[in-house]
Amino acid sequence: MALLLTPLPNPILADLLRSTYPALVAHHDRIAALLPEPPRIAPSSPTKSWWDLWPGSASGSSNPKAKSAKTTKTSKDKSFERARWAWFATAGLGMIAYLFASGIVQIDFGGGEEEWKDASEFEDDEEEEEIIEIVEDED
């Protein structure tokens, strides 16, 4: 109810709830009055490009504080980055192992000893079989 009754750019749903269910809206208002005011979060400044979101890309950021903050990493930050890359590597290798183990992806190294025939050889064999069948039918 709280999400539906918040002021939005288009208050159609909130107006519908207030006109159709006034007792429910009154109950919501009484409960909301008992609760403390939620903390307001200041909007963050938008990033200028996707490269600013990539860790370690100090060249994309024009903020000098961000550049100095990126260069001074604590040991906890470094271990977190290593753990993050280890997780991605494990997930990728696990996916590749699953693809091979399930048979979705197969690699054939060619060790078969089958001889490949040209299309002309297939036609000759078919003609020979037809001739043999005709001769057997005549007997």
Side-chain angles (χ1 to χ4, degrees), residues 82-101:
R82 279 191 294 259
R84 180 176 49 189
W85 285 109
W87 186 89
F88 282 121
T90 305
L93 290 174
M95 182 176 61
I96 292 169
Y98 170 76
L99 290 174
F100 283 113

Side-chain angles (χ1 to χ4, degrees), residues 16 23 38 43 112:
L16 179 68

Side-chain angles (χ1 to χ4, degrees), residues 6-124:
T6 55
L8 298 172
N10 192 353
I12 292 175
L13 190 56
D15 292 342
L16 179 68
L17 284 173
R18 285 188 175 93
S19 64
T20 309
Y21 303 102
L24 187 59
V25 172
H27 175 70
H28 166 266
D29 293 339
R30 285 192 306 273
I31 297 297
L34 295 174
L35 296 174
E37 185 70 25
R40 300 285 179 194
I41 299 173
S44 63
S45 62
T47 57
K48 295 182 181 174
S49 72
W50 285 99
W51 289 111
D52 292 339
L53 299 174
W54 187 260
S57 66
S59 62
S61 177
S62 62
N63 187 358
K65 289 182 182 178
K67 286 182 182 178
S68 65
K70 288 181 182 177
T71 57
T72 58
K73 293 181 183 176
T74 64
S75 63
K76 189 174 181 180
D77 291 336
K78 290 178 184 177
S79 67
F80 177 75
E81 283 186 12
R82 279 191 294 259
R84 180 176 49 189
W85 285 109
W87 186 89
F88 282 121
T90 305
L93 290 174
M95 182 176 61
I96 292 169
Y98 170 76
L99 290 174
F100 283 113
S102 65
I104 294 173
V105 176
Q106 295 178 353
I107 297 177
D108 184 20
F109 293 106
E113 298 192 17
E114 298 177 2
E115 292 183 22
W116 294 91
K117 296 182 179 181
D118 294 332
S120 62
E121 292 177 352
F122 283 112
E123 292 172 8
D124 292 339

